[in-house]
Coordinates of all heavy atoms in Angstrom, one line a residue:
G1 N -46.3 103.9 62.2 CA -45.7 104.4 61.0 C -44.8 103.4 60.3 O -44.4 102.4 60.9
P2 N -44.6 103.5 59.0 CA -43.8 102.6 58.3 C -42.4 102.6 58.7 O -41.8 103.6 59.1 CB -43.9 103.0 56.8 CG -44.2 104.5 56.9 CD -45.0 104.6 58.1
V3 N -41.7 101.4 58.6 CA -40.3 101.2 59.0 C -39.6 100.8 57.8 O -40.0 99.9 57.0 CB -40.2 100.1 60.1 CG1 -38.7 99.9 60.5 CG2 -41.0 100.5 61.3
D4 N -38.5 101.5 57.6 CA -37.6 101.1 56.4 C -36.7 100.0 56.8 O -35.5 100.2 57.2 CB -36.8 102.3 56.0 CG -36.2 102.2 54.6 OD1 -36.4 101.1 54.0 OD2 -35.5 103.1 54.1
W5 N -37.2 98.8 56.8 CA -36.6 97.6 57.3 C -35.2 97.3 56.7 O -34.3 97.0 57.4 CB -37.5 96.4 57.2 CG -38.8 96.5 57.9 CD1 -40.0 96.8 57.3 CD2 -39.0 96.3 59.3 NE1 -41.0 96.8 58.3 CE2 -40.4 96.4 59.5 CE3 -38.2 95.9 60.3 CZ2 -40.9 96.3 60.8 CZ3 -38.7 95.8 61.6 CH2 -40.1 96.0 61.8
L6 N -35.1 97.5 55.4 CA -33.9 97.2 54.7 C -33.1 98.4 54.2 O -32.1 98.3 53.6 CB -34.2 96.3 53.4 CG -34.9 95.0 53.7 CD1 -35.2 94.2 52.5 CD2 -34.1 94.1 54.7
G7 N -33.7 99.6 54.5 CA -33.0 100.8 54.1 C -32.4 101.7 55.2 O -31.7 102.6 54.9
D8 N -32.7 101.3 56.4 CA -32.2 102.0 57.6 C -31.0 101.3 58.1 O -31.1 100.1 58.5 CB -33.3 102.1 58.7 CG -32.9 103.0 59.8 OD1 -31.7 103.3 60.0 OD2 -33.8 103.4 60.6
P9 N -29.8 102.0 58.2 CA -28.6 101.3 58.6 C -28.7 100.8 60.0 O -28.0 99.8 60.4 CB -27.5 102.4 58.5 CG -28.1 103.4 57.5 CD -29.6 103.4 57.7
D10 N -29.6 101.3 60.9 CA -29.7 100.9 62.2 C -30.7 99.7 62.4 O -30.8 99.1 63.4 CB -30.2 102.0 63.1 CG -29.2 103.2 63.2 OD1 -28.0 102.9 63.1 OD2 -29.7 104.3 63.3
V11 N -31.4 99.4 61.3 CA -32.5 98.4 61.4 C -32.1 97.2 60.5 O -32.5 96.0 60.8 CB -33.8 98.9 61.0 CG1 -34.9 97.9 61.1 CG2 -34.2 100.1 62.0
A12 N -31.4 97.4 59.4 CA -31.3 96.4 58.4 C -30.6 95.1 58.9 O -31.1 94.0 58.6 CB -30.5 97.0 57.2
I13 N -29.6 95.2 59.7 CA -28.9 94.0 60.2 C -29.8 93.2 61.0 O -29.8 91.9 61.0 CB -27.6 94.4 60.9 CG1 -26.8 93.1 61.3 CG2 -27.9 95.2 62.1 CD1 -26.4 92.3 60.1
F14 N -30.7 93.8 61.8 CA -31.6 93.1 62.7 C -32.6 92.3 61.8 O -33.0 91.2 62.1 CB -32.3 94.0 63.7 CG -31.4 94.6 64.7 CD1 -30.8 95.8 64.6 CD2 -31.1 93.8 65.8 CE1 -30.0 96.3 65.5 CE2 -30.2 94.3 66.8 CZ -29.7 95.6 66.6
A15 N -33.1 93.0 60.7 CA -34.0 92.4 59.8 C -33.4 91.1 59.1 O -34.0 90.1 59.1 CB -34.5 93.4 58.7
V16 N -32.2 91.3 58.7 CA -31.5 90.1 58.0 C -31.3 89.0 59.0 O -31.6 87.8 58.7 CB -30.2 90.6 57.4 CG1 -29.4 89.4 56.8 CG2 -30.4 91.6 56.3
V17 N -30.9 89.3 60.2 CA -30.6 88.2 61.2 C -32.0 87.6 61.6 O -32.0 86.3 61.7 CB -30.0 88.8 62.5 CG1 -29.9 87.8 63.6 CG2 -28.6 89.3 62.1
G18 N -33.0 88.3 61.7 CA -34.3 87.8 62.0 C -34.8 86.8 60.9 O -35.3 85.7 61.2
V19 N -34.6 87.2 59.7 CA -35.0 86.3 58.6 C -34.1 85.0 58.6 O -34.6 83.9 58.4 CB -34.8 87.0 57.2 CG1 -35.0 86.1 56.0 CG2 -35.8 88.2 57.1
H20 N -32.8 85.2 58.9 CA -32.0 84.0 59.0 C -32.4 83.0 60.1 O -32.5 81.8 59.9 CB -30.5 84.4 59.2 CG -29.6 83.3 59.5 ND1 -29.1 82.5 58.4 CD2 -29.1 82.8 60.6 CE1 -28.3 81.5 58.9 NE2 -28.3 81.7 60.3
V21 N -32.8 83.6 61.2 CA -33.3 82.7 62.3 C -34.5 82.0 61.9 O -34.7 80.8 62.2 CB -33.5 83.6 63.6 CG1 -34.2 82.7 64.7 CG2 -32.2 84.1 64.1
W22 N -35.5 82.7 61.3 CA -36.7 82.1 60.8 C -36.4 80.9 59.8 O -37.1 79.9 59.9 CB -37.6 83.1 60.2 CG -38.9 82.5 59.6 CD1 -40.0 82.3 60.3 CD2 -39.1 82.1 58.3 NE1 -41.0 81.7 59.4 CE2 -40.4 81.6 58.2 CE3 -38.3 82.1 57.1 CZ2 -40.9 81.1 57.0 CZ3 -38.8 81.6 55.9 CH2 -40.1 81.1 55.9
A23 N -35.5 81.1 59.0 CA -35.2 80.2 57.9 C -34.4 79.0 58.4 O -34.4 77.9 57.7 CB -34.4 80.9 56.8
T24 N -33.7 79.0 59.5 CA -32.8 78.0 59.9 C -33.2 77.3 61.2 O -32.5 76.3 61.6 CB -31.4 78.5 60.0 OG1 -31.3 79.5 60.9 CG2 -30.9 79.0 58.6
F25 N -34.2 77.8 62.0 CA -34.4 77.3 63.3 C -34.9 75.8 63.2 O -34.9 75.1 64.2 CB -35.3 78.2 64.1 CG -36.8 78.0 63.8 CD1 -37.6 77.1 64.4 CD2 -37.3 78.9 62.8 CE1 -38.9 77.0 64.1 CE2 -38.6 78.8 62.5 CZ -39.5 77.8 63.1
G26 N -35.4 75.4 62.1 CA -36.0 74.0 62.0 C -34.9 73.0 62.3 O -35.2 72.0 62.9
M27 N -33.7 73.2 61.8 CA -32.6 72.2 62.1 C -32.3 72.1 63.6 O -32.2 71.1 64.1 CB -31.3 72.6 61.3 CG -31.5 72.5 59.8 SD -31.8 70.8 59.2 CE -30.4 70.0 59.8
A28 N -32.2 73.3 64.2 CA -32.0 73.3 65.7 C -33.1 72.7 66.4 O -32.9 72.0 67.4 CB -31.7 74.7 66.2
L29 N -34.3 72.9 66.0 CA -35.5 72.3 66.6 C -35.4 70.7 66.5 O -35.8 70.0 67.5 CB -36.8 72.8 66.0 CG -38.1 72.6 66.8 CD1 -39.0 73.8 66.5 CD2 -38.8 71.3 66.3
V30 N -35.0 70.2 65.4 CA -34.8 68.8 65.3 C -33.8 68.2 66.3 O -34.0 67.2 66.9 CB -34.4 68.4 63.8 CG1 -34.0 66.9 63.7 CG2 -35.6 68.7 62.9
V31 N -32.7 68.9 66.4 CA -31.7 68.5 67.4 C -32.3 68.6 68.8 O -32.1 67.6 69.6 CB -30.5 69.4 67.3 CG1 -29.4 69.1 68.4 CG2 -29.8 69.3 65.9
F32 N -33.0 69.6 69.2 CA -33.7 69.7 70.5 C -34.6 68.5 70.7 O -34.7 67.9 71.8 CB -34.4 71.0 70.7 CG -33.5 72.1 71.2 CD1 -33.2 73.2 70.4 CD2 -32.9 72.0 72.4 CE1 -32.4 74.2 70.9 CE2 -32.0 73.0 72.9 CZ -31.8 74.1 72.1
L33 N -35.4 68.2 69.7 CA -36.4 67.1 69.8 C -35.6 65.8 70.0 O -36.1 64.9 70.8 CB -37.3 67.0 68.6 CG -38.3 68.1 68.4 CD1 -39.1 67.9 67.2 CD2 -39.3 68.1 69.6
A34 N -34.5 65.6 69.4 CA -33.7 64.4 69.6 C -33.1 64.4 71.0 O -33.1 63.3 71.7 CB -32.5 64.3 68.6
G35 N -32.8 65.5 71.6 CA -32.3 65.6 73.0 C -33.5 65.3 73.9 O -33.2 64.6 75.0
F36 N -34.7 65.7 73.6 CA -35.8 65.4 74.5 C -36.1 63.9 74.5 O -36.6 63.4 75.5 CB -37.1 66.1 74.0 CG -37.2 67.5 74.5 CD1 -37.1 68.6 73.7 CD2 -37.4 67.8 75.9 CE1 -37.2 69.9 74.2 CE2 -37.5 69.0 76.4 CZ -37.4 70.1 75.5
A37 N -35.7 63.2 73.5 CA -35.9 61.7 73.5 C -35.1 61.0 74.6 O -35.4 59.9 75.0 CB -35.5 61.1 72.1
T38 N -34.0 61.7 75.0 CA -33.2 61.1 76.1 C -33.5 61.7 77.5 O -32.9 61.3 78.5 CB -31.7 61.4 75.8 OG1 -31.5 62.9 75.9 CG2 -31.3 61.0 74.4
L39 N -34.5 62.5 77.6 CA -34.9 63.1 78.8 C -35.7 62.1 79.7 O -36.6 61.4 79.2 CB -35.7 64.4 78.6 CG -36.2 65.2 79.8 CD1 -34.9 65.8 80.5 CD2 -37.1 66.3 79.4
D40 N -35.3 62.1 80.9 CA -36.0 61.2 81.9 C -37.4 61.8 82.2 O -37.5 62.8 82.9 CB -35.2 61.0 83.1 CG -35.7 60.0 84.1 OD1 -36.8 59.4 83.8 OD2 -35.1 59.7 85.1
S41 N -38.4 61.1 81.8 CA -39.8 61.6 82.0 C -40.2 61.7 83.4 O -41.1 62.4 83.8 CB -40.8 60.8 81.2 OG -40.8 59.4 81.6
S42 N -39.5 60.8 84.3 CA -39.9 60.9 85.7 C -39.5 62.2 86.3 O -40.2 62.6 87.3 CB -39.1 59.7 86.4 OG -37.7 59.9 86.3
L43 N -38.5 62.9 85.8 CA -38.2 64.2 86.3 C -39.3 65.2 86.1 O -39.7 66.0 86.9 CB -36.9 64.7 85.7 CG -35.6 63.9 86.0 CD1 -34.5 64.5 85.2 CD2 -35.3 63.9 87.4
L44 N -39.9 65.1 84.9 CA -41.1 66.0 84.6 C -42.3 65.6 85.5 O -43.0 66.5 85.9 CB -41.4 65.9 83.1 CG -40.4 66.3 82.1 CD1 -40.8 66.1 80.7 CD2 -40.0 67.8 82.3
D45 N -42.5 64.3 85.7 CA -43.6 63.9 86.6 C -43.4 64.4 88.0 O -44.3 64.9 88.7 CB -43.7 62.4 86.6 CG -44.1 61.9 85.2 OD1 -44.6 62.6 84.4 OD2 -43.7 60.7 84.9
A46 N -42.1 64.4 88.5 CA -41.8 64.9 89.8 C -42.1 66.4 89.9 O -42.6 66.9 90.9 CB -40.4 64.5 90.2

């Protein structure tokens, strides 16, 4: 059945937060990739 994503008080905040996560996770992903550059690959091999 259809969901009133933006009209239901119990659902709307989750919809907005989900959209925000989708729109901004690219910056966090860049930071994680920079962190992976410092990861010791020998640990993964082990």
Side-chain angles (χ1 to χ4, degrees):
V3 179
D4 195 358
W5 299 101
L6 302 179
D8 188 342
D10 296 328
V11 178
I13 185 63
F14 292 97
V16 175
V17 173
V19 173
H20 174 78
V21 172
W22 177 85
T24 59
F25 77 90
M27 295 297 298
L29 196 147
V30 170
V31 176
F32 273 117
L33 289 178
F36 275 111
T38 65
L39 183 63
D40 188 358
S41 59
S42 63
L43 297 176
L44 297 177
D45 296 336

